[in-house]
Amino acid sequence: GNSVTQMEGPVTLSEEAFLTINCTYTATGYPSLFWYVQYPGEGLQLLLKATKADDKGSNKGFEATYRKETTSFHLEKGSVQVSDSAVYFCALSADNQGGKLIFGQGTELSVKP
Amino acid sequence: GAGVSQTPSNKVTEKGKYVELRCDPISGHTALYWYRQSLGQGPEFLIYFQGTGAADDSGLPNDRFFAVRPEGSVSTLKIQRTERGDSAVYLCASSLVGQGVGDTQYFGPGTRLTVL
C-alpha cells in the first residue's frame, strides 16, 4: 500500500543552520507530495507541494524537490530561525484516491537562538 | 475569510458513552475529510465526503464510527460506545474539489477527545 517515511526527530539546530528533513514514499502511479507544518498550539498548515516529478515546491525559504527516481521529497532550508520550530509532516495524495492524504509520522524541529 | 472550524475543541467522556464531533468547512468546498491523530503520530485518514455522500470510508476503524454530511456542508463524526483507545485529536479538512491532482486541504484546529 501507499506509505510515507520521515526521518525521526527531534531535530535540534542552532539559528542560521542548514536544515534537511528526509522523506521517502511508496506509491503506485504518480502521487502528489506535500509538506505540512504544525506550529505549537496551532493547526496543520500546508507549507509546500509538488504535483509531478522534478517539480520543486517552495515557501517561506523552504524547498523540496519531487524525485521519482529515488521516491523522495526531502525538505530543506538554508538558514533556519527560532520561529521555524514546529512539527513537520510529509504527505502524499495518490492517483484516483479522492485526494485523501497519507502522512508520515512527523519530525519535530527545535531551533535554538 | 473563515477557515475550517471544529467543535468542541476538547471533549472528555467516559468509556461506553456516545460522542459527536462537528466540522464546519470553508464555504464552497465540496470535499471534506476526517483524520485522527494520536500522540506523536501523523494524521490517519478516516473518511472522505464529496458533497453529501461518503466517497471513501475505508479508514473508519470499525462500525462504532460513523459520519454524516446531510447538506453537503457541515459534517458530524459520531462515535458510539467509546473506548479508551479512541482518545486522540480528530481533525477535519476541506478542499475545493477533492479530486484534482494536488488539491490543497485546509485543516481545522481539531477536537481533542479523551475517553476516561
Side-chain angles (χ1 to χ4, degrees):
Chain A
N2 300 328
S3 66
V4 174
T5 302
Q6 293 181 232
M7 65 186 283
E8 289 192 18
V11 173
T12 303
L13 295 174
S14 297
E15 206 164 22
E16 299 184 4
F18 183 85
L19 168 71
T20 300
I21 300 178
N22 290 336
C23 170
T24 57
Y25 68 90
T26 301
T28 54
Y30 299 90
S32 296
L33 301 174
F34 305 81
W35 278 100
Y36 277 82
V37 59
Q38 194 167 35
Y39 296 104
E42 299 185 17
L44 274 171
Q45 302 174 24
L46 178 68
L47 180 59
L48 53 84
K49 68 181 183 184
T51 58
K52 60 183 188 295
D54 300 325
D55 268 2
K56 178 186 284 187
S58 61
N59 187 24
K60 299 182 181 180
F62 290 88
E63 293 183 339
T65 301
Y66 187 162
R67 299 286 188 202
K68 190 156 179 67
E69 64 276 14
T70 54
T71 61
S72 66
F73 193 54
H74 305 321
L75 183 68
E76 296 183 336
K77 186 174 185 181
S79 176
V80 294
Q81 306 300 312
V82 172
S83 58
D84 294 326
S85 298
V87 181
Y88 293 81
F89 293 93
C90 185
L92 72 81
S93 171
D95 288 349
N96 302 316
Q97 293 286 306
K100 71 181 182 187
L101 293 169
I102 296 171
F103 286 87
Q105 76 271 30
T107 302
E108 183 180 359
L109 170 67
S110 177
V111 181
K112 306 298 185 186
Chain B
V4 178
S5 62
Q6 293 186 244
T7 54
S9 55
N10 279 284
K11 177 70 177 178
V12 180
T13 190
E14 293 180 342
K15 181 175 178 296
K17 299 290 189 182
Y18 168 84
V19 296
E20 289 189 352
L21 312 179
R22 176 189 167 109
C23 172
D24 214 325
I26 293 172
S27 177
H29 280 192
T30 63
L32 185 146
Y33 304 81
W34 284 99
Y35 295 86
R36 179 167 71 172
Q37 186 175 18
S38 300
L39 192 63
Q41 301 296 316
E44 293 180 302
F45 169 77
L46 295 176
I47 186 169
Y48 153 55
F49 287 90
Q50 185 62 248
T52 60
D56 183 351
D57 65 357
S58 62
L60 295 177
N62 51 60
D63 61 5
R64 296 187 297 106
F65 288 75
F66 188 72
V68 295
R69 195 186 185 199
E71 297 178 357
S73 178
V74 170
S75 177
T76 305
L77 179 66
K78 308 179 181 196
I79 310 174
Q80 298 178 321
R81 305 182 303 281
T82 52
E83 300 177 357
R84 292 194 181 89
D86 299 335
S87 296
V89 176
Y90 289 80
L91 298 171
C92 177
S94 70
S95 69
L96 195 57
V97 293
Q99 296 175 6
V101 172
D103 194 27
T104 297
Q105 292 183 28
Y106 297 87
F107 282 80
T111 294
R112 182 177 299 279
L113 175 66
T114 303
V115 182
L116 302 177

